[in-house]
Amino acid sequence: MAESMNEVKHRIASTKNTRQITEAMQMVQTVKLNQIQGQTATYNEYVAKIKAVVMHLAESHLLDSQAPSKTQDQGKKGPTAYLVITSDRGMVGSYNSNALRGTNRFIADHTPNADDYVILAVGGTGADFYKKNGANVAYEYRGVSDIPTFQEVKGIVKTITQMYNDHLFSELYVCYNHFVNRVRSDFRVEKLLPMDRESIEQSMSGADGAGASIQTEALTAEYEVEPSEQEVLHAILPQYSESLVYGAILDAKTAEHSSSSMAMKAATDNADDLISSLELKYNRARQAAITTEITEITGGQEALNH
């Protein structure tokens, strides 16, 4: 019985140490979540202005020149690319599995033939998963900051855009977990390229990349463009694409921190339950040992009296 009590006592101590770690990790992730939500508020102000301008362009039919003609569309070549955003680490609950499962479902519905798509992975978990499963991972980026900066994402957008211009793929979808609130995130897919009027209007009809509802004012569609329409498009569309990718990564990171915080809370709660169970087991074993010892002493005294 003494050995069994020592084992239980050791498990209690070990579980308490684990609990301290998970509780500390939960606090860290909560701080990061608060920080990135502050960053999101700043981003929302910026993207609202960009979306307002792009919406004007769409309403004024200035984006019609960006759409491929039927002849071009029929003759287009190249696979579809999926920009999949996951984390670089574990201990994030169901965050990665939800993103990968949602992406796989979307791919199965749109490009079931493996030769018809390539993967662009932001996050080591997604990159490793698709490499292991034999997918064509044409690009990967690891080590996204806990609080991503706009400058960091510009490099990703530049590389992806160059791949598109080099005809390595014909269209691009971004797949990620959208942060709804601190206990929920939803999988989301948005078309990013080609950047034509149809894809932009689809983006406008949905929620923005950072998970907040951005409303643009109803504006007239009449323009006096200076110096030229093409120069305006050349200036604004790269900023728009950068804002979409940055918003998706910012949104995904927010969902990641939230999921990690919830996972660490669940682990801490489980540790509390286990500690309570082990302490109850230990106290019962100690009481049983004391009862046995008292019984033995009483029995010994009775034997002496006889």
Side-chain angles (χ1 to χ4, degrees):
M1 181 63 70
E3 182 179 359
S4 177
M5 288 177 61
N6 286 335
E7 290 177 355
V8 174
K9 190 175 182 179
H10 176 73
R11 288 184 63 192
I12 291 173
S14 177
T15 305
K16 285 183 176 179
N17 289 336
T18 301
R19 185 198 179 283
Q20 288 180 339
I21 295 172
T22 57
E23 187 175 33
M25 292 179 68
Q26 178 191 348
M27 293 174 63
V28 170
Q29 292 303 318
T30 300
V31 170
K32 290 179 180 179
L33 178 58
N34 292 335
Q35 290 176 337
I36 201 169
Q37 286 185 301
Q39 184 89 343
T40 298
T42 303
Y43 162 77
N44 286 346
E45 296 179 7
Y46 166 78
V47 78
K49 299 298 183 182
I50 293 292
K51 284 195 170 186
V53 173
V54 173
M55 179 62 82
H56 275 303
L57 297 176
E59 291 175 349
S60 302
H61 300 280
L62 298 183
L63 294 172
D64 290 349
S65 61
Q66 299 299 111
S69 66
K70 291 184 179 180
T71 303
Q72 290 174 324
D73 187 62
Q74 292 172 354
K76 74 175 183 180
K77 295 181 180 180
T80 296
Y82 296 99
L83 176 60
V84 186
I85 304 174
T86 59
S87 72
D88 290 306
R89 60 186 179 85
M91 296 187 291
V92 290
S94 60
Y95 172 80
N96 287 317
S97 60
N98 287 344
L100 295 173
R101 183 167 55 249
T103 301
N104 290 340
R105 281 199 301 261
F106 188 81
I107 291 175
D109 291 339
H110 290 77
T111 49
N113 190 335
D115 294 331
D116 293 338
Y117 71 88
V118 297
I119 298 295
L120 313 179
V122 174
T125 301
D128 293 339
F129 172 83
Y130 285 106
K131 284 181 178 179
K132 182 179 179 181
N133 286 275
N136 180 5
V137 180
Y139 170 79
E140 62 179 281
Y141 184 95
R142 299 172 185 253
V144 174
S145 304
D146 286 331
I147 314 296
T149 64
F150 192 80
Q151 192 63 34
E152 180 180 6
V153 174
K154 286 183 71 173
I156 298 174
V157 176
K158 182 178 180 180
T159 301
I160 292 174
T161 302
Q162 188 60 50
M163 294 173 70
Y164 176 73
N165 292 336
D166 291 340
H167 307 291
L168 297 180
F169 54 84
S170 59
E171 57 181 357
L172 173 66
Y173 291 89
V174 56
C175 310
Y176 63 99
N177 281 332
H178 159 61
F179 175 78
V180 178
N181 53 49
R182 297 199 173 209
V183 296
R184 176 188 165 193
S185 62
D186 293 337
F187 176 73
R188 174 174 289 178
V189 179
E190 294 178 349
K191 187 176 181 180
L192 182 59
L193 292 171
M195 191 172 294
D196 52 28
R197 183 183 177 191
E198 181 180 356
S199 64
I200 289 174
E201 289 182 342
Q202 287 177 352
S203 174
M204 295 296 181
S205 64
D208 71 289
S213 177
I214 293 179
Q215 302 293 333
T216 56
E217 296 179 3
L219 300 172
T220 61
E222 297 181 1
Y223 271 82
E224 292 183 5
V225 180
E226 187 178 329
S228 71
E229 295 179 1
Q230 289 303 318
E231 289 189 55
V232 170
L233 292 174
H234 182 74
I236 197 66
L237 291 185
Q239 294 182 50
Y240 178 68
S241 62
E242 287 169 359
S243 72
L244 287 183
V245 176
Y246 177 62
I249 292 177
L250 195 64
D251 193 2
K253 268 293 179 181
T254 306
E256 178 187 334
H257 292 321
S258 177
S259 182
S260 181
S261 177
M262 292 297 296
M264 292 303 100
K265 183 181 185 304
T268 301
D269 292 343
N270 289 338
D272 286 334
D273 292 341
L274 181 56
I275 290 169
S276 297
S277 177
L278 289 172
E279 286 179 340
L280 179 60
K281 183 177 181 180
Y282 177 80
N283 289 334
R284 285 177 175 173
R286 187 177 62 176
Q287 289 172 359
I290 293 172
T291 301
T292 300
E293 187 176 344
I294 292 174
T295 301
E296 289 174 351
I297 293 172
T298 303
Q301 287 178 341
E302 290 181 353
L304 289 175
N305 291 334
H306 289 80

